[in-house]
Amino acid sequence: MIATPAILWSRFRRHYLDCPALGLGLDVSRVPFPDDFHAKMERPIRKALADMAALEKGAIANPDEQRMVGHYWLRNAGLAPSKDITKVIEGTLESIGAFATRIHRGDLAGAAGPFRNVLVIGIGGSALGPQFVAKALGHPRSDKLTPYFFDNTDPDGMDQVLALLEGRLGQTLAVVISKSGGTPETRNGMVEARASYERAGLNFAAHAVAITGEGSALHQTAVADGWLQTFPMWDWVGGRTSELSAVGLLPAALQGIDIHGLLAGARACDEATRNPVSRENPAAQLALMWYFLGEGRGSKDMVVLPYKDRLELLSKYLQQLVMESLGKELDLDGKVVHQGLAVYGNKGSTDQHAYVQQLRDGVANFFAVFIEVLKDREGSSIEVEAGATSGDFLSGFFLGTRSALYESGRPSLTLTVPDTSAFTIGVLIALFERAVGLYASLIHINAYHQPGVEAGKKAAAGVLGLQRKIVAHLAAQPGTAYTTEALASALGQPDAAETVFKICTHLAANGRGVRTVSGSGLSATFQAP
Ligand code: PA5
C-alpha cells in the first residue's frame, strides 16, 4: 500500500535512524512493515545480538570448520580473546605501515627504480574488497602506487592488464593474496605474472610479496624463492570479511589510502552496532528489513544503488559478502533450507538507463538499497544550467527514482553518508558485515563457511584430471580419430561424454593436444595433432 505524502513523512520521522557518530542515516520508511513488526521480532533480534556478542568474544561461530570468527578484532585488537591474537594483529598493522613507508620512500625499489604500480593477484575475498576500496578511495592524482588486478585465470584478461604494465614491470610490486595459498586461479595468476617478469629480464622474487596463511603452498614458495616479504592471514578471518586484515590494508596502504581512517570508521561502526537496542542499531535494522522484505527466505533480491561512481564496486563486493555468507543449503540443525539473498547493482544514475525500467514497471521481485552521498566533489562545482550543478542532477535522479519505485509499490531502504572518506568506507564495510552476521542468526544458518565454493573447486580439479587423460590417451594412439562417445568409452568414462566434448573442443580451439579431424560440433572426431 502506498502512503500519502503526509503519512510517508510521518513514517520517515518515526523510523529515520540518525547515527551522528558515524555520519550515517538509515531511512526504512519506504519498507511497508506493519506497526507491530519490531515488537514481534524483538526476541529473535535480541538473540542475534547475543550470538554476535559471543562471536566477538571468541566463541566457535563457524561450527562446520570449528573456527572462531574474528574480523571485528582487526579494528580493535584489544577485543581479541587472547594476548597472542592482539599482538599478531598489532604487529601486522605495524609491519604494513613500515613496509608501505619503505616502498613510498623508494628505500625498497624495483629493478627499474621506485615502485610506481601494484599488481594485486587474488580472487573472491582476496580481491573484491581490495578492488572496492581501491576504486572508492583512490585517485589518479594522489595514488602513490597505481593499482592493477588479476582476479581470474582468464589468460586474455591477464594479457590486458600486462599490456597496461608493458615496460613498467621493473617498477611494479606484485602482491599475491590467498588465505589458503592453494587457490588455482591465484596460483595461475602468480605463475603468469612471474613468467612476464622473467620475459622482461626481471627477478620476480625481488618484486613480490605474499599475503597468506603460515605454511601454505604460497607461503612456502615465497619463502623458498626469497620474495621481499610475507604478511599473515589467519584461520579466524574469513575471505569475504578480510578487507581490514593485511588482505585489504596492504594494497590500500601501498596505494596511499588512509588505512587508519578505514579502521577508525569500522571500529566506530562496530561500537554503534553493538547497541542492544535494535531500534537504535543500524545493522540490526538492516537485518530486520531484509528479513521482512524477503520473508526470512530471500524471496526478494537486493538491488544496491549507490549514487556515486566511487561506490560502483560496492554491489560486487556485497554480492560476495552477502551471497557467499547467506546462500546455504542447510541450517545450523542440518535441515534443508536453501537460504540466500540475491544481490546485484551498479550505480545511479547510470542504471536508470539500464535495468531500472524493469524495477519500476516489471516483475516486482526485489527491494532497493539506495546509497546517498551528500558531498558532491572536492572543491566547488560549475552550474550546468541555471541554479543546478551535475551533483544536483545526481541527487535529483536519486530522489526521483526512489519516488517512482515507491509509487509503483517497490520498497526501498536508503543509507545516507556524508562523503566517501576512508572513515565512511570503513563504516559501510563494518555495517554490512554485521548486518549479514545478524541476519544469519535470524535465519539460523552458518554465515562463515562456503561449502558450495569448495564443491566447485573439486569439480574443476576433476575436469583437469580428465583433460590430462584425454591428451595422454590420444598421444598414445597417434592417427586414431575418435568420436566424443568413443573417446569417453575408451577412457572408461562413458558418462562423461559431454565433458569430453567440451574439453576436446576447447583444446582444439587453442591448438593444444587435440585436433578436429572431421566434422564439426557434435559430429566432430578428434585425434592427437
Ligand atoms: O570468502 C571466501 O572465503 C572465498 O571467496 C575466498 O576468499 C576465495 O575462494 C579465495 O580464497 P583464498 O584467499 O584462499 O585464495
Side-chain angles (χ1 to χ4, degrees):
M1 232 230 328
I2 315 303
T4 62
I7 293 177
L8 193 54
W9 173 237
S10 131
R11 269 182 80 77
F12 179 85
R13 288 177 61 99
R14 195 151 27 110
H15 298 299
Y16 185 68
L17 180 49
D18 188 22
C19 308
L22 308 180
L24 179 82
L26 172 62
D27 166 21
V28 298
S29 61
R30 284 171 178 77
V31 180
F33 54 85
D35 286 345
D36 62 354
F37 172 70
H38 282 94
K40 277 195 182 145
M41 293 302 291
E42 190 50 33
R43 265 172 67 135
I45 194 66
R46 233 186 244 179
K47 179 179 180 307
L49 287 160
D51 289 349
M52 183 61 79
L55 174 151
E56 287 199 78
K57 286 204 176 82
I60 299 293
N62 180 353
D64 295 38
E65 297 172 359
Q66 284 298 300
R67 287 183 186 168
M68 297 187 290
V69 173
H71 48 275
Y72 299 106
W73 312 328
L74 297 170
R75 47 263 194 170
N76 192 345
L79 291 182
S82 78
K83 285 208 175 87
D84 286 350
I85 295 182
T86 302
K87 220 164 111 189
V88 85
I89 294 170
E90 289 172 348
T92 302
L93 193 55
E94 262 170 45
S95 67
I96 289 169
F99 184 78
T101 302
R102 286 173 72 203
I103 295 283
H104 294 155
R105 285 197 185 136
D107 298 345
L108 200 56
F115 286 111
R116 297 280 179 242
N117 316 297
V118 53
L119 172 60
V120 178
I121 304 172
I123 196 165
S126 293
L128 287 157
Q131 287 170 316
F132 163 53
V133 167
K135 168 91 184 165
L137 296 175
H139 196 289
R141 282 218 189 95
S142 53
D143 285 350
K144 293 190 171 161
L145 268 65
T146 306
Y148 297 85
F149 292 90
F150 279 4
D151 67 351
N152 195 0
T153 184
D154 175 6
D156 178 56
M158 291 189 256
D159 286 348
Q160 292 202 15
V161 175
L162 290 169
L164 295 170
L165 289 168
E166 179 118 34
R168 299 192 294 141
L169 285 177
Q171 289 186 282
T172 300
L173 178 70
V175 177
V176 187
I177 310 179
S178 175
K179 173 179 164 178
S180 62
T183 301
E185 290 93 332
T186 304
R187 195 266 332 264
N188 296 354
M190 186 273 286
V191 171
E192 295 254 6
R194 186 171 60 197
S196 299
Y197 278 78
E198 284 167 1
R199 273 196 302 274
L202 299 164
N203 172 13
F204 181 65
H207 297 78
V209 299
I211 303 171
T212 188
E214 171 93 33
S216 74
L218 172 59
H219 189 254
Q220 288 174 31
T221 302
V223 172
D225 293 355
W227 292 17
L228 293 172
Q229 194 158 331
T230 63
F231 295 84
M233 252 303 265
W234 309 287
D235 71 353
W236 42 266
V237 178
R240 54 196 171 275
T241 51
S242 64
E243 177 49 28
L244 299 178
S245 72
V247 168
L249 295 182
L250 180 66
L254 290 166
Q255 194 180 343
I257 285 167
D258 170 18
I259 60 170
H260 294 285
L262 263 176
L263 290 165
R267 190 162 53 240
C269 188
D270 287 345
E271 276 156 25
T273 54
R274 279 187 199 113
N275 190 336
V277 182
S278 66
R279 294 299 290 255
E280 297 168 5
N281 180 330
Q285 284 306 306
L286 265 185
L288 285 167
M289 292 302 112
W290 293 352
Y291 190 89
F292 173 78
L293 287 159
E295 302 160 290
R297 52 189 173 86
S299 65
K300 289 217 166 28
D301 301 346
M302 174 161 77
V303 183
V304 179
L305 270 172
Y307 276 64
K308 187 55 80 186
D309 286 0
R310 281 181 181 273
L311 300 184
E312 186 175 4
L313 297 182
L314 177 65
S315 55
K316 256 181 111 176
Y317 168 74
L318 291 182
Q319 193 170 59
Q320 189 216 14
L321 174 66
V322 173
M323 295 177 76
E324 207 168 275
S325 301
L326 302 179
K328 300 291 156 69
E329 180 188 13
L330 305 176
D331 71 7
L332 285 166
D333 301 326
K335 202 172 105 201
V336 175
V337 286
H338 293 296
Q339 272 289 358
L341 175 57
V343 180
Y344 65 96
N346 180 39
K347 63 176 178 180
S349 70
T350 311
D351 291 354
Q352 286 175 221
H353 302 265
Y355 58 80
V356 170
Q357 165 62 31
Q358 174 172 320
L359 298 192
R360 186 177 184 278
D361 295 340
V363 55
N365 61 350
F366 73 94
F367 62 93
V369 175
F370 290 101
I371 320 273
E372 177 192 25
V373 181
L374 297 177
K375 186 174 164 112
D376 287 341
R377 60 154 44 117
E378 288 305 326
S380 57
S381 287
I382 58 160
E383 291 190 351
V384 289
E385 64 179 48
T389 64
S390 302
D392 297 337
F393 272 86
L394 191 64
S395 172
F397 284 130
F398 147 61
L399 292 170
T401 297
R402 193 173 67 147
S403 292
L405 290 183
Y406 183 69
E407 278 156 20
S408 61
R410 274 56 168 172
S412 65
L413 306 158
T414 301
L415 283 166
T416 301
V417 291
D419 50 32
T420 50
S421 63
F423 183 90
T424 297
I425 298 303
V427 167
L428 288 174
I429 289 171
L431 176 71
F432 281 99
E433 281 179 353
R434 195 172 295 253
V436 165
L438 294 174
Y439 183 79
S441 290
L442 290 178
I443 61 172
H444 197 50
I445 58 142
N446 177 359
Y448 305 105
H449 66 166
Q450 52 285 326
V453 178
E454 309 306 333
K457 287 183 190 175
K458 273 192 202 135
V463 171
L464 287 166
L466 181 55
Q467 173 173 312
R468 283 185 201 104
K469 279 166 79 180
I470 290 171
V471 172
H473 184 86
L474 292 179
Q477 317 287 326
T480 308
Y482 289 85
T483 62
T484 298
E485 285 93 346
L487 184 53
S489 297
L491 294 167
Q493 290 186 238
D495 292 345
E498 185 186 345
T499 311
V500 168
F501 175 70
K502 288 287 181 199
I503 291 170
C504 287
T505 50
H506 173 244
L507 289 176
N510 288 283
R512 295 178 43 248
V514 173
R515 80 184 169 91
T516 308
V517 189
S518 65
S520 65
L522 287 173
S523 61
T525 59
F526 304 104
Q527 69 177 46

